[in-house]
Amino acid sequence: DIVLTQSPVLAVSLGQRATISCRASQSVSISSINLMHWYQQKPGQQPKLLIYRASNLASGIPARFSGSGSGTDFTLTIDPVQADDIAAYYCQQSRESPFTFGSGTKLEIK
Amino acid sequence: QVTLKESGPGILQPSQTLSLTCSFSGFLLSASSVGVGWIRQPSGKGLEWLATIGWEDVKHYNPSLKSRLTISKDTSNNQVFLKITSVDTADTGTYYCAHSAPYWYFDFWGPGTMVTVSS
């Protein structure tokens, strides 16, 4: 199985940039297609797709969110961070089954 | 507009079989590159992918639970089902179904259904 590693917590000041990382135990890219995706989950809600295939913004998601990376290292950036962004963020790979999720990063405000 | 909604028993006893239904609208499961997946989340913990069924009845299972899982679909009634046999307390949590886009990511999610396994 491909294991995805995320830091458990990230504390950022409002208006600053948040950088959330996800490292895969093996490459999740096929040629130029990076099969890493990002989700936001607020307490009591279902997850919401933010970024698909590493860098594509999902429909209705503000441009403050962006994604980058390839191979084994991926990043979700939120700039600037707003109070509404307090949530858990999960990466997910679809390079191969089982389609694993990272353990999540909780974004906190300093 | 794509919508999904999960339904389940709420509470069941250890060793029983958990039967979940995902009712959806706004897309056809017979369409190319479309699927529906099941993901669960124990309270306060992370997400665990369980299974996905695709447009040509292709099925993917999480190997850690594969012997206990069965995913199936009723295309004409826009429903997907998941059965988990021999449940125990570790199966307690919220179960989500989600629309699976090409490349197997999940772009639309249901609100989830809570399942408690308790004697």
Side-chain angles (χ1 to χ4, degrees):
Chain A
D1 298 4
I2 297 177
V3 176
L4 303 180
T5 301
Q6 296 183 248
S7 297
V9 177
L10 177 66
V12 178
S13 300
L14 291 176
Q16 299 302 303
R17 174 184 297 177
T19 302
I20 298 172
S21 64
C22 178
R23 174 163 289 177
S25 59
Q26 63 190 76
S27 176
V28 298
S29 302
I30 303 176
S31 299
S32 61
I33 302 173
N34 300 302
L35 295 171
M36 184 67 79
H37 324 289
W38 291 94
Y39 303 85
Q40 176 194 65
Q41 187 179 32
K42 297 180 179 179
Q45 296 184 16
Q46 68 267 50
K48 176 194 297 184
L49 178 69
L50 297 176
I51 301 287
Y52 62 96
R53 281 188 282 130
S55 59
N56 297 276
L57 199 64
S59 177
I61 302 302
R64 309 183 283 106
F65 293 88
S66 62
S68 63
S70 64
T72 60
D73 292 301
F74 295 86
T75 300
L76 171 70
T77 301
I78 311 170
D79 189 11
V81 169
Q82 298 183 358
D84 187 53
D85 300 333
I86 301 308
Y89 293 86
Y90 295 91
C91 53
Q92 178 237 332
Q93 66 80 23
S94 59
R95 170 63 179 82
E96 63 181 41
S97 178
F99 303 133
T100 46
F101 287 88
S103 54
T105 297
K106 287 190 177 180
L107 183 65
E108 297 180 348
I109 300 300
K110 280 183 182 177
Chain B
Q1 180 188 3
V2 172
T3 64
L4 305 100
K5 187 170 184 179
E6 309 84 353
S7 57
I11 299 175
L12 68 167
Q13 295 184 340
S15 79
Q16 290 186 321
T17 294
L18 170 60
S19 295
L20 298 167
T21 299
C22 176
S23 301
F24 61 85
S25 64
F27 65 95
L28 296 176
L29 196 46
S30 56
S32 179
S33 301
V34 170
V36 171
W38 286 96
I39 302 99
R40 72 179 179 181
Q41 184 172 39
S43 181
K45 297 188 178 180
L47 302 167
E48 180 182 30
W49 172 77
L50 299 176
T52 295
I53 189 165
W55 65 103
E56 290 184 335
D57 211 33
V58 60
K59 301 172 185 177
H60 294 280
Y61 290 103
N62 189 325
S64 67
L65 295 97
K66 184 175 181 179
S67 63
R68 300 172 52 212
L69 299 178
T70 304
I71 192 169
S72 60
K73 63 181 179 176
D74 180 348
T75 304
S76 58
N77 286 308
N78 288 344
Q79 291 182 317
V80 171
F81 311 99
L82 183 71
K83 292 187 186 296
I84 306 178
T85 60
S86 304
V87 297
D88 66 15
T89 55
D91 296 307
T92 293
T94 299
Y95 286 74
Y96 299 99
C97 66
H99 174 271
S100 176
Y103 300 107
W104 305 109
Y105 57 90
F106 303 105
D107 51 357
F108 297 94
W109 293 65
T113 187
M114 180 68 191
V115 173
T116 301
V117 180
S118 175
S119 56

